[in-house]
Amino acid sequence: MPGLQAMRTYQGAWLGADIAAGLALTAMLVPVGIAYAVASGLPGICGLYATIIPMLAYALFGPSRIFVLGPDSSLAALILAVVLPLSAGDPQRAIALAGMMALVSGLICIAGGIARLGFITELLSKPIRYGYMNGIALTVLISQLPALFGFTVKGDGLLEKGQGFIEAVLAGKTNWTALLLGVGTLATILVLKRFQRVPGLLIAVVSVTLVVEALGLAQGAGVSVLGSLPQGLPDFSFPVIMASDLVPVLVGGFAVAMVSFADTSVLSRSYAARTGTYVDPNREMLGLGAANLAAGFFQGFPVSSSTSRTPVAEAAGAKTQLACVVAALAVAALLMFGPGLLRNLPTAALAAVVIASALGLIEVSDLRRIYRIQRWEFWLSIGCLVGVAIFGVIPGIGIAIVVAVIEFLWDGWRPHYAVLGRVDGIKGYHDISRHPEARLVPGLVLFRWDAPLFFANAELFQDRALDAVASSPTPVRWLVVGAEPVTSVDVTAADALSELDDTLRAAGIELCFAEMKGPVKDKLKRFGLFSRVGEERFFPTIGEAVNRYLKANQVQWHDWEDRA
């Protein structure tokens, strides 16, 4: 429990800063928590439950000193995709479904942390992450537009909701008073966001609430408002769902775990680098898992790191997780003693809060850079965005993961390879396709393979090696494989090497290896290939292999000898 360890080294001089930062953070946590709950298809009170308990859990189990966890816009669309169709408008079912998603996500994160799988999110490349996050942001934006315009629409996916929104606007369902309040709230948040020390969100929410209350807009203009929150703190309960709900909840919980840990790990590393500390990603998974378990058992919903609230805590002077503890206790005090303070907060303003956060998820500038330098990865990102938009958030996340695996395998499936030669004035041996002036040793082919050898590329390796032999301008005596880039060999590849050795032996050609790593040699020894080829055919460097070839075959080209 890193929180208990931090208490032992806590300095009294930090107390005032942590308390002040916690109170400043509270002003943001309340409206944001409520807004993300509503955006997730849940009662607003669940957003405060998902703020209080998870923050306390992370303060105890989380490794980062300055870090805020809670409801997040990046998860709203994921939760809504599961909760909305299954709950059928029943708020209690919605709470149970979201709570079970939090439990699933928490267990996955804890299991991943124990298994030391903190590296797993690194398998998602930056363009793919941009793609699905842009898709999620677009989904959130479309889902909040009806509330911003003062009406509701039916529909499960982005396309259905978008179509429903356009039809409702054309049918004249817009509540212009609600729209004015929502747009004003959004503009205030975006304008004041530039000033870190100005509580723009608090100013916007308090102002619009006072306007609605003073002018009686809830009754006079039909503006939808939040209403009074239930008084008191959440009870411990196990969320009960139907058997038919299990598969979508499991899939949704897994998607939530992937997205939340991807966001959390990136933000955690950036703050760790800024403070000069190290944060173990596996411990981060445990802390995130504990926070989600706490949310699930106390009527909350899945939580993640916050790229908007963490900077607020930092700017307010937070030193440790005690700032989050203070903020959680302050939110709890609001529920105990002032649950009616936000009863006139318009839902259009809550939609504006979510839209402002979703806009922060959209990445454009770096995608422009990717378009300039690697166009196919740009279109890969756009493909992930379209997948989220067309098939839904959770299938879109699955598409992103599948594409990431395919992208990873493609580089190893069809890797670069080269025939090497000697270039005057440049030390070593180099790709003859890049250096046509390079000279080849008569009877010797130096073949470099720039990838691990495994089942997907073993046959290609065999074909390309034989092509290199066939393309040699002189009869070949030795084929030397430059194996420095080869980091692994599996059974299929080892069998392909054996077949290659048989083919070459039949043609009177010896197969040799240079610069092979020790762990790869160990595998070849287990496969029986090392003894078959012969220890004398494994050379520490390509230069040594060339020298041995020249001596063994009495080639009198002294200018080829590597005298380094």
Side-chain angles (χ1 to χ4, degrees):
M1 295 184 183
L4 295 181
Q5 297 176 14
M7 287 177 61
R8 298 193 187 102
T9 58
Y10 192 85
Q11 299 180 22
W14 296 344
L15 183 60
D18 278 339
I19 292 176
L23 294 176
L25 188 59
T26 305
M28 190 176 189
L29 292 177
V30 174
V32 165
I34 294 172
Y36 293 160
V38 173
S40 301
L42 300 162
I45 187 65
C46 294
L48 300 186
Y49 293 162
T51 298
I52 299 170
I53 310 300
M55 285 179 68
L56 295 175
Y58 185 83
L60 189 60
F61 292 99
S64 298
R65 291 182 63 180
I66 304 176
F67 210 53
V68 181
L69 257 70
D72 192 66
S73 57
S74 64
L75 303 183
L78 290 168
I79 301 167
L80 185 66
V82 174
V83 167
L84 187 63
L86 297 181
S87 65
D90 183 351
Q92 293 305 313
R93 276 204 71 194
I95 293 171
L97 289 165
M100 185 57 75
M101 284 182 69
L103 293 184
V104 170
S105 174
L107 290 173
I108 289 172
C109 286
I110 289 175
I114 293 173
R116 306 192 68 79
L117 298 179
F119 66 90
I120 196 167
T121 56
E122 297 172 6
L123 298 178
L124 296 178
S125 67
K126 187 177 288 187
I128 290 175
R129 288 204 306 269
Y130 287 160
Y132 78 70
M133 289 307 295
N134 284 344
I136 287 174
L138 184 61
T139 302
V140 171
L141 284 170
I142 297 299
S143 71
Q144 294 304 301
L145 284 178
L148 187 71
F149 278 66
F151 55 79
T152 59
V153 297
K154 295 181 179 180
D156 294 335
L158 182 146
L159 297 179
E160 287 186 16
K161 285 194 174 182
Q163 181 181 353
F165 169 72
I166 293 172
E167 291 174 352
V169 170
L170 295 177
K173 293 184 178 180
T174 301
N175 184 315
W176 293 101
T177 304
L179 178 60
L180 183 62
L181 293 171
V183 171
T185 303
L186 179 60
T188 303
I189 293 171
L190 295 179
V191 170
L192 296 181
K193 191 176 182 179
R194 304 174 185 175
F195 309 97
Q196 267 198 342
R197 295 190 175 276
V198 176
L201 181 60
L202 177 64
I203 292 172
V205 169
V206 170
S207 299
V208 74
T209 302
L210 292 176
V211 168
V212 171
E213 188 167 358
L215 300 180
L217 298 179
Q219 297 78 23
V223 174
S224 175
V225 295
L226 177 65
S228 294
L229 298 172
Q231 187 174 26
L233 299 177
D235 296 325
F236 178 89
S237 63
F238 185 84
V240 178
I241 62 174
M242 299 172 62
S244 57
D245 300 333
L246 191 57
V247 172
V249 166
L250 288 174
V251 174
F254 176 79
V256 162
M258 288 293 295
V259 173
S260 60
F261 181 64
D263 289 349
T264 299
S265 62
V266 171
L267 189 61
S268 174
R269 286 200 302 268
S270 65
Y271 272 90
R274 189 178 303 178
T275 57
T277 58
Y278 168 74
V279 174
D280 184 347
N282 299 300
R283 283 185 175 271
E284 198 65 81
M285 285 190 88
L286 291 171
L288 180 62
N292 274 286
L293 283 183
F297 283 126
F298 286 92
Q299 302 169 48
F301 53 92
V303 297
S304 179
S305 63
S306 171
T307 55
S308 59
R309 282 156 285 173
T310 302
V312 169
E314 183 188 34
K319 302 297 182 184
T320 67
Q321 281 294 324
L322 181 60
C324 292
V325 173
V326 171
L329 295 177
V331 175
L334 172 69
L335 288 180
M336 293 293 293
F337 305 111
L341 291 177
L342 297 174
R343 63 182 180 277
N344 284 308
L345 175 60
T347 54
L350 291 175
V353 171
V354 177
I355 289 173
S357 182
L359 290 173
L361 294 177
I362 297 175
E363 178 56 57
V364 176
S365 60
D366 206 31
L367 276 178
R368 289 176 182 165
R369 179 182 67 89
I370 293 171
Y371 180 81
R372 289 195 306 269
I373 62 177
Q374 187 93 305
R375 195 155 296 183
W376 72 268
E377 288 201 84
F378 169 83
W379 291 114
L380 182 66
S381 181
I382 298 301
C384 288
L385 188 158
V386 173
V388 172
I390 293 179
F391 299 106
V393 178
I394 293 176
I397 296 294
I399 291 171
I401 293 172
V402 170
V403 169
V405 173
I406 293 173
E407 180 189 13
F408 172 74
L409 289 176
W410 179 261
D411 288 337
W413 186 24
R414 292 294 182 265
H416 181 264
Y417 59 90
V419 175
L420 308 180
R422 192 62 175 265
V423 182
D424 290 337
I426 305 178
K427 185 177 180 180
Y429 297 85
H430 305 277
D431 187 348
I432 63 172
S433 66
R434 290 180 174 271
H435 299 276
E437 74 280 10
R439 293 176 295 160
L440 302 176
V441 182
L444 174 65
V445 173
L446 300 174
F447 179 77
R448 191 186 69 210
W449 185 255
D450 295 339
L453 267 171
F454 65 112
F455 62 92
N457 63 24
E459 186 175 345
L460 180 68
F461 168 83
Q462 193 175 7
D463 292 341
R464 295 297 178 262
L466 292 174
D467 288 344
V469 170
S471 301
S472 174
T474 57
V476 179
R477 299 174 186 174
W478 281 21
L479 170 67
V480 176
V481 177
E484 194 275 335
V486 178
T487 55
S488 182
V489 176
D490 67 3
V491 172
T492 305
D495 290 345
L497 287 174
S498 297
E499 293 173 10
L500 177 62
D501 186 41
D502 290 338
T503 302
L504 294 175
R505 283 178 187 270
I509 302 170
E510 294 193 36
L511 175 63
C512 306
F513 297 90
E515 301 181 348
M516 180 173 282
K517 293 177 171 63
V520 181
K521 286 184 183 179
D522 293 340
K523 284 191 173 184
L524 295 187
K525 289 175 182 177
R526 291 202 305 271
F527 298 155
L529 191 61
F530 189 84
S531 58
R532 172 190 174 125
V533 174
E535 185 175 356
E536 70 280 1
R537 297 305 179 206
F538 288 83
F539 302 103
T541 66
I542 292 178
E544 178 65 21
V546 172
N547 289 341
R548 290 282 294 276
Y549 168 79
L550 295 173
K551 293 175 182 177
N553 294 278
Q554 298 180 347
V555 178
Q556 300 299 317
W557 260 25
H558 296 289
D559 56 329
W560 276 94
E561 294 185 23
D562 187 345
R563 301 185 184 279

